[in-house]
Amino acid sequence: MTGVLAALAELVFFDNAQGPLLLVGASGAIAALFGLYMIWFRRASLTVMILVLQFKVAPHWYFLVWSLTNIVGMIMGESNVAYMAHLGGFLAGILVGWLLYPWVRRNNPLLNWLNQPEVKLRRTKHIS
């Protein structure tokens, strides 16, 4: 469903001056999974690697940079990439994730556990 919504987003915003619309739709569906991840695992972190540096970022920061990269590519007019399908799929994933979130939390205890705030450990003196 989200792949179809991604393809529709590309179709609606497609400029016919670029030639025929050639679209597979897989990348839009993958982008929808990004949106689901951001909603369902908002307390998780993603590991980003730039050259040899690794660091962790929150999903909303990672996907903000990813979205801006797609917007810049779209503005620059780089061809052969369905940027609007990526963004449309991402938004469709956010929408579906948000709509299904209560049901998924109710029926998946592991997701509940993964979304708990981090446990902070405190050292206490051991009494012998």
Side-chain angles (χ1 to χ4, degrees):
M1 175 176 79
T2 55
V4 171
L5 292 173
L8 286 174
E10 182 67 23
L11 180 63
V12 168
F13 290 97
F14 184 72
D15 181 12
N16 289 331
Q18 296 175 355
L21 176 61
L22 302 173
L23 184 64
V24 175
S27 61
I30 297 300
L33 293 175
F34 292 170
L36 284 169
Y37 185 92
M38 193 175 78
I39 297 297
W40 291 356
F41 300 101
R42 61 180 132 230
R43 294 189 190 273
S45 63
L46 296 168
T47 302
V48 176
M49 185 171 183
I50 299 175
L51 296 176
V52 295
L53 302 173
Q54 278 187 339
F55 52 95
K56 293 190 178 288
V57 295
H60 61 275
W61 289 113
Y62 178 85
F63 293 122
L64 175 67
V65 171
W66 177 85
S67 296
L68 291 174
T69 303
N70 277 280
I71 291 169
V72 168
M74 189 169 48
I75 290 170
M76 292 180 67
E78 196 173 316
S79 64
N80 298 327
V81 177
Y83 291 111
M84 200 60 218
H86 295 169
L87 296 170
F90 182 63
L91 292 175
I94 288 173
L95 178 65
V96 169
W98 180 72
L99 290 172
L100 292 178
Y101 189 68
W103 182 84
V104 170
R105 292 267 325 241
R106 249 190 339 268
N107 295 304
N108 191 340
L110 181 59
L111 186 63
N112 283 326
W113 181 73
L114 289 172
N115 276 309
Q116 295 299 317
E118 292 179 349
V119 176
K120 294 189 179 190
L121 299 175
R122 289 184 288 176
R123 292 182 186 249
T124 60
K125 291 183 180 180
H126 181 44
I127 301 173
S128 335

